[in-house]
Amino acid sequence: MTKVRCGKDELRTLFLFEKLDDDQLDWLCDRGRVEALEPGPVYAEGEPATCFYVLVEGSVVLSTRVAGDDVEVVRADQPGVYAGAWHAYLGDRMPQLYQNSMRVTTPSRLFALDAADVAAMMREWFPMALHLLEGLFFGMQSTQQVIGQRERLLALGSLSAGLTHELNNPAAAAVRATAALRERVAGMRHKLGMIAAGPWERPELESLIRLQEEAVERVAKAPTLTPMQTADREDILGDWLDEHGIDDAWDIAPIFVQAGLEPDWLDHVADSVPPGVVAGAVRWLTYTIESELLMREIEDSTTRISSLVTAAKQYSQMDRAPFQTVDIHELLESTLVMLGRKIGPDVDIRRDYDRSLPPLPAYAAELNQVWTNLIDNAASAMDHRGVLTVRTFADRDRDRLVVEIGDSGPGIDPAIRGRIFEPFFTTKPVGEGTGLGLDISWRIVVNKHHGDITVESVPGDTRFQVGLPLTVARPDPGPVPLADSIALAESVMPPG
């Protein structure tokens, strides 16, 4: 690399400096220099940003690091394009690091100006523009932070409402079953007193207890019947009860059907007790069966409550380290449970999981935010009617795990497909979306996990694919400011 003093006439030919007067051009030439470079690197991403570069002659390439690889983002040979320490005017209010890597691909000449001189130039020559740029930069950061927090609060409120609704159903069922069980137990105590006072011999009581145990076993093995099968069996059992002079046959028959009992077993009951006490034996067994059914209902309800609480803890990653090795399917299932009410009953959720996938090193709570955004968007795109597909598989060629969220909605308009990951861009009606969901998802997947998100969409089939490395070093936990998502687009500016 050779350094030579620049000429103001040459600087004036560059679109960046064409409006400056002679004194300003002299100032730049006094403090800057022209560097002649052979093909090779100029600076690397993450290094301290010490210089601002403007292409005078030749060609440059900018790249950024994604998942350990340098990905080319800009290639330019237009004199006047610039890159480097262009954030120097912000001073120590943001880290002064190169946001990308630059190299020259042909013998080139670059005008170089130290970062301190860039900051001084902006303060002295463009004080109003400096205030506007600072306001834009920090205003966008603040806006993103506030809207992001608001979006998370709204999502939390929606999820909390859904979880409360889901918890209320099994809790109410458990309360109702407990009240009914109390009545049945009271009835059993009354019936037990009648049996004790009745003409029962010891062998008959032993037979009745044996029948009681058999009935409980049958409840545990009761088959699942269709509504038509249930109605047919209730008719048959109701007729049997009427034939044996048992009152309230149509109240008792549904209980026996639910327990999986049939007329042949009731014949066995009638043969096991004296003829005069068949009705009493059947009612005693009815109390036993109904109590067992109610206890099973209470068990199912409380198990459902426990499952919902477990899903909520899994979703929020409560009491867990931020970075951990996780089963991706547990994260997906907890998200589906949390979003169940919001997705709606008219969405057919189809799972296609590759259970052979290994555990994944990740920030689990943040990946749950990604699944939430993608699944919620998919349900909204279908107007909560259609098919939602959640699929996992391995991309062996790239050593990645892939999660695919698909929907059967109308698809994404090709005209806007390139903008869907932009901050604040949304197709939802005013008040229903902030336009940050996909931007946040992109930064969680790409910047924190070194993965990628792609989308394929045609009417009736839209698929978002999230690729995550199966083996990675611990990702950078630091937040990614909004400016980083636009920095690459602004790092090399075209003329005009």
Side-chain angles (χ1 to χ4, degrees):
M1 177 182 68
T2 59
K3 299 180 181 180
V4 298
R5 180 176 171 81
C6 68
K8 64 180 181 182
D9 291 336
E10 185 174 44
L11 287 188
R12 188 177 282 114
T13 65
L14 306 178
F15 71 87
L16 190 62
F17 303 133
E18 62 184 359
K19 301 297 185 181
L20 300 183
D21 59 33
D22 288 343
D23 290 340
Q24 291 172 321
L25 291 173
D26 286 336
W27 188 95
L28 290 174
C29 287
D30 288 342
R31 289 164 175 75
R33 70 272 181 190
V34 173
E35 298 180 356
L37 301 173
E38 293 299 317
V42 179
Y43 62 76
E45 181 178 346
E47 293 179 346
T50 58
C51 281
F52 176 73
Y53 294 96
V54 182
L55 180 65
V56 178
E57 180 183 21
S59 60
V60 297
V61 169
L62 285 189
S63 61
T64 188
R65 185 163 291 273
V66 178
D69 299 323
D70 286 326
V71 179
E72 180 179 319
V73 292
V74 176
R75 180 180 291 263
D77 58 7
Q78 171 66 45
V81 296
Y82 58 90
W86 65 283
H87 275 147
Y89 65 88
L90 294 172
D92 58 5
R93 285 173 290 179
M94 74 163 290
Q96 293 299 319
L97 303 174
Y98 289 120
Q99 303 295 318
N100 43 58
S101 299
M102 185 171 75
R103 60 188 172 88
V104 296
T105 56
T106 61
S108 304
R109 293 190 305 130
L110 301 174
F111 172 74
L113 188 65
D114 289 341
D117 291 325
V118 172
M121 177 189 69
M122 293 293 291
R123 286 194 299 269
E124 294 175 13
W125 296 0
F126 312 109
M128 181 175 178
L130 180 60
H131 288 303
L132 292 174
L133 286 172
E134 289 177 341
L136 174 64
F137 184 87
F138 292 112
M140 291 183 70
Q141 282 193 322
S142 299
T143 299
Q144 183 204 29
Q145 183 178 14
V146 171
I147 293 180
Q149 291 175 345
R150 177 65 175 171
E151 186 175 68
R152 285 191 288 272
L153 285 172
L154 290 174
L156 179 61
S158 178
L159 291 174
S160 298
L163 180 61
T164 302
H165 177 82
E166 293 292 338
L167 286 170
N168 182 66
N169 288 338
V175 170
R176 289 194 302 269
T178 301
L181 180 61
R182 181 179 290 108
E183 295 180 3
R184 300 308 177 270
V185 170
M188 289 182 69
R189 290 198 301 267
H190 176 70
K191 183 60 66 176
L192 182 60
M194 295 178 62
I195 291 175
W200 293 83
E201 299 294 334
R202 182 182 179 89
E204 295 168 348
L205 288 174
E206 291 177 348
S207 178
L208 184 61
I209 292 172
R210 186 176 62 256
L211 291 171
Q212 188 179 29
E213 295 300 323
E214 290 179 10
V216 171
E217 291 177 3
R218 285 177 173 268
V219 170
K221 301 175 183 178
T224 301
L225 304 177
T226 65
M228 186 63 70
Q229 291 173 326
T230 299
D232 291 341
R233 293 198 179 191
E234 288 178 0
D235 288 341
I236 295 172
L237 285 178
D239 291 341
W240 189 96
L241 294 170
D242 284 338
E243 291 171 2
H244 289 77
I246 300 173
D247 296 334
D248 302 323
W250 299 111
D251 291 332
I252 298 174
I255 297 172
F256 281 7
V257 170
Q258 190 177 353
L261 304 182
E262 299 177 352
D264 291 344
W265 190 80
L266 291 179
D267 287 337
H268 171 59
V269 172
D271 294 338
S272 301
V273 298
V277 295
V278 171
V282 168
R283 291 192 178 279
W284 171 259
L285 292 173
T286 301
Y287 285 126
T288 299
I289 294 168
E290 195 167 12
S291 297
E292 185 67 21
L293 291 173
L294 289 170
M295 285 189 289
R296 286 170 63 86
E297 184 177 348
I298 293 171
E299 181 183 19
D300 290 342
S301 299
T302 53
T303 299
R304 174 63 176 163
I305 293 172
S306 178
S307 298
L308 286 168
V309 172
T310 300
K313 290 181 67 177
Q314 173 69 36
Y315 179 82
S316 65
Q317 294 296 298
M318 187 185 302
D319 301 328
R320 302 189 184 189
F323 185 77
Q324 58 185 293
T325 301
V326 297
D327 182 344
I328 201 71
H329 303 109
E330 291 182 359
L331 302 184
L332 290 168
E333 284 301 309
S334 67
T335 303
L336 288 170
V337 170
M338 294 296 291
L339 291 176
R341 184 166 176 264
K342 193 172 184 181
I343 292 172
D346 296 327
V347 173
D348 178 14
I349 302 176
R350 299 180 183 177
R351 298 165 172 84
D352 182 8
Y353 294 158
D354 180 357
R355 294 290 186 178
S356 67
L357 292 173
L360 181 77
Y363 289 95
E366 298 198 23
L367 284 184
N368 280 339
Q369 188 177 1
V370 175
W371 315 142
T372 298
N373 291 335
L374 295 181
I375 291 172
D376 184 35
N377 285 350
S380 297
M382 298 184 292
D383 196 23
H384 301 277
R385 292 181 179 84
V387 178
L388 173 69
T389 304
V390 183
R391 179 182 173 223
T392 62
F393 60 93
D395 182 352
R396 302 297 180 188
D397 294 337
R398 303 177 65 191
D399 193 29
R400 292 195 169 196
L401 177 154
V402 179
V403 176
E404 182 180 271
I405 309 295
D407 67 74
S408 59
I412 302 172
D413 186 345
I416 65 170
R417 193 174 303 169
R419 300 188 59 197
I420 60 175
F421 292 105
E422 292 180 8
F424 308 111
F425 178 79
T426 180
T427 58
K428 295 180 179 179
V430 176
E432 293 187 17
T434 62
L436 284 177
L438 289 179
D439 171 61
I440 291 171
S441 299
W442 172 272
R443 287 185 283 117
I444 289 173
V445 172
V446 176
N447 296 333
K448 295 200 71 169
H449 292 86
H450 306 305
D452 59 53
I453 302 182
T454 60
V455 59
E456 298 177 1
S457 182
V458 295
D461 185 12
T462 297
R463 303 179 187 181
F464 281 83
Q465 289 189 348
V466 177
L468 298 166
L470 287 169
T471 54
V472 296
R474 186 182 183 93
D476 177 13
V480 180
L482 177 63
D484 287 357
S485 65
I486 61 175
L488 290 179
E490 296 178 344
S491 295
V492 174
M493 298 296 292

